[in-house]
Amino acid sequence: MSSDTIFGKIIRREIPANIVYEDDLCLAFKDVHPQAPVHILIIPKKNIPQLSAATAEDQNLLGHLLLTAKQIAEQVGLKNGYRLVINNGQDGGQTVDHLHCHLLGDRALGWPPG
């Protein structure tokens, strides 16, 4: 179900992570190099290398990731807002070939982000 990336290894518990949420479809953990006071990665357990590789079959899973991000944001108290980021491909800044959503918050975030 999971890939051989660092995220696959986290899903399989081969390397440790500070896990903040898990269900049958996804796992969320604190980023080891946070870019904001709250920086949580939300990953599907299904091996999808990047958003552009997702198919219509993944529609429910993608929606689940967004609703999970909302739930985690509420749990960690991000009342003044937050940002969700999905990097896609090398030019999009993706560094791990496993779809993941960055939940960033607990400070004002600038625009444009890049």
Side-chain angles (χ1 to χ4, degrees), residues 2 13 15 22 35 37 43 46 54 67 69 73 75 77 91 94 103 108:
S2 58
R13 304 300 201 274
I15 58 175
E22 182 174 16
Q35 302 300 305
I43 63 172
K46 178 181 179 183
L67 291 174
Q75 288 175 350
D91 284 353
Q94 185 176 359
L103 171 63

Side-chain angles (χ1 to χ4, degrees), residues 78-98:
L78 297 178
K79 295 179 176 149
N80 292 326
Y82 53 90
R83 180 173 292 161
L84 296 175
V85 176
I86 298 175
N87 299 323
N88 188 82
Q90 183 177 357
D91 284 353
Q94 185 176 359
T95 58
V96 178
D97 289 330
H98 189 120

Side-chain angles (χ1 to χ4, degrees), residues 34-56:
Q35 302 300 305
V38 171
H39 188 168
I40 297 170
L41 300 176
I42 304 156
I43 63 172
K45 290 183 176 179
K46 178 181 179 183
N47 181 13
I48 302 172
Q50 58 191 41
L51 185 59
S52 61
T55 67

Side-chain angles (χ1 to χ4, degrees), residues 20-21 70-78:
V20 298
Y21 178 87
K70 173 187 171 278
Q71 177 184 339
I72 294 169
E74 290 170 355
Q75 288 175 350
V76 299
L78 297 178

